[in-house]
């Protein structure tokens, strides 16, 4: 079983959103840990390659069991 790295997964997702969905604004909700912060940094790096910056970010405590995550796609503001 072979799996892509988190960096490759983030790159593919962001690239798809920009090229196919024409998204211009991105927000990241990440775990407050080294793993989550690495994902945040990888996202910022990919966005930079497209000349974009992160629109918003927020973190949640590591190992939270009561975190509810809502994925909100705001088509009017084009936020992914």
């Amino acid at each position: 079983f072979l799996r892509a790295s988190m960096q490759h997964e983030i790159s593919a997702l962001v690239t798809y959103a920009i090229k196919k969905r024409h998204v211009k604004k991105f927000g990241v909700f990440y775990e407050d840990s080294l793993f989550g912060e690495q994902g945040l940094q990888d996202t910022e790096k990919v966005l930079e390659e497209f000349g974009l910056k992160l629109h918003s970010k927020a973190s949640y405590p590591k190992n939270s069991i009561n975190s509810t995550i809502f994925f909100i796609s705001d088509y009017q503001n084009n936020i992914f």
Side-chain angles (χ1 to χ4, degrees):
F1 176 60
L2 185 63
R3 180 188 164 138
S5 69
M6 185 170 68
Q7 183 178 11
H8 285 107
E9 291 176 356
I10 290 170
S11 179
L13 179 62
V14 170
T15 299
Y16 170 80
I18 292 170
K19 291 187 175 184
K20 300 291 184 182
R21 301 295 305 267
H22 310 289
V23 175
K24 301 277 188 236
K25 295 179 182 177
F26 290 81
V28 175
F29 187 51
Y30 64 98
E31 181 180 85
D32 189 11
S33 66
L34 292 176
F35 179 77
E37 290 173 12
Q38 184 62 53
L40 173 65
Q41 291 172 6
D42 290 343
T43 303
E44 290 173 324
K45 181 180 175 185
V46 174
L47 290 173
E48 188 176 294
E49 291 172 8
F50 285 97
L52 299 172
K53 291 187 177 186
L54 198 59
H55 182 266
S56 57
K57 63 183 175 180
S59 64
Y60 59 92
K62 182 178 179 179
N63 299 324
S64 295
I65 58 172
N66 287 328
S67 291
T68 303
I69 302 172
F70 293 98
F71 176 77
I72 301 171
S73 182
D74 184 341
Y75 292 105
Q76 286 182 329
N77 294 320
N78 206 21
I79 299 174
F80 183 71

